[in-house]
Amino acid sequence: HAMSGDRERCLAAGMDGYLSKPVQLADLAAALAAVDSPLDQQTLDLLRSLPTGDDGASFLGTVTRSFRTSSADDLAAVRQHAEEGGWSELEKAAHRLKGSSATVGAVRVSKVCAAIVERVRAAETQNLGPLVAQLEQELARAHTALSEVIEPWS
């Protein structure tokens, strides 16, 4: 059984979450889902709170649809320039994708892009293949998760 103030002390110490005993299955499931999510809930909540457009479309839906298109283009550019050795263009595409993914809360995509940009800037461009593959996987997960999130809000 938790002592009064345990949760606050743990979170203040830098923990990402807190569960007290006896652990409730619903609380555990929610905590695990938050850790495994490719999306940042706070960013999504902020985007949901923004006003709808004149056409009635939600801001979250509009920005997500734009992200799906631009991120596909940026991923294609990352792949192409990684294969061809166009490091400057690769850095630009990865940087662009890093920013747009952070805007929609796709934090894992943003982190992989940051790693790619860092490697290119450090001229450590050998063997970028695994990072590009990881980017593809994380972007696919983000697209799926965003599709599930925006349906009720579009």
Side-chain angles (χ1 to χ4, degrees):
H1 298 293
M3 301 287 291
S4 177
D6 281 353
R7 174 181 168 69
E8 291 75 20
R9 279 193 295 278
C10 289
L11 295 176
M15 294 178 80
D16 294 329
Y18 178 85
L19 292 174
S20 64
K21 293 181 187 177
V23 174
Q24 302 298 312
L25 288 181
D27 294 340
L28 178 60
L32 291 173
V35 169
D36 192 43
S37 176
L39 304 175
D40 177 63
Q41 192 60 48
Q42 287 181 315
T43 301
L44 294 175
D45 290 344
L46 174 65
L47 292 173
R48 272 193 200 103
S49 73
L50 296 174
T52 59
D54 292 339
D55 60 357
S58 74
F59 187 81
L60 176 61
T62 301
V63 77
T64 298
R65 282 187 289 280
S66 176
F67 172 73
R68 287 181 69 86
T69 301
S70 68
S71 63
D73 293 344
D74 286 335
L75 177 60
V78 165
R79 275 193 212 118
Q80 176 187 348
H81 297 300
E83 291 172 8
E84 297 173 356
W87 309 127
S88 176
E89 294 304 313
L90 169 63
E91 180 186 350
K92 289 176 189 173
H95 183 76
R96 213 173 25 249
L97 184 52
K98 175 182 160 242
S100 64
S101 59
T103 298
V104 298
V107 291
R108 290 182 179 184
V109 173
S110 187
K111 286 180 182 176
V112 175
C113 288
I116 291 172
V117 168
E118 184 179 307
R119 293 262 310 266
V120 171
R121 287 181 179 168
E124 296 173 3
T125 54
Q126 67 282 2
N127 201 20
L128 279 176
L131 272 177
V132 173
Q134 183 181 1
L135 176 59
E136 292 172 351
Q137 292 171 348
E138 293 299 343
L139 189 56
R141 288 185 70 214
H143 282 181
T144 299
L146 284 167
S147 294
E148 293 169 1
V149 166
I150 65 163
E151 288 305 318
W153 299 94
S154 295

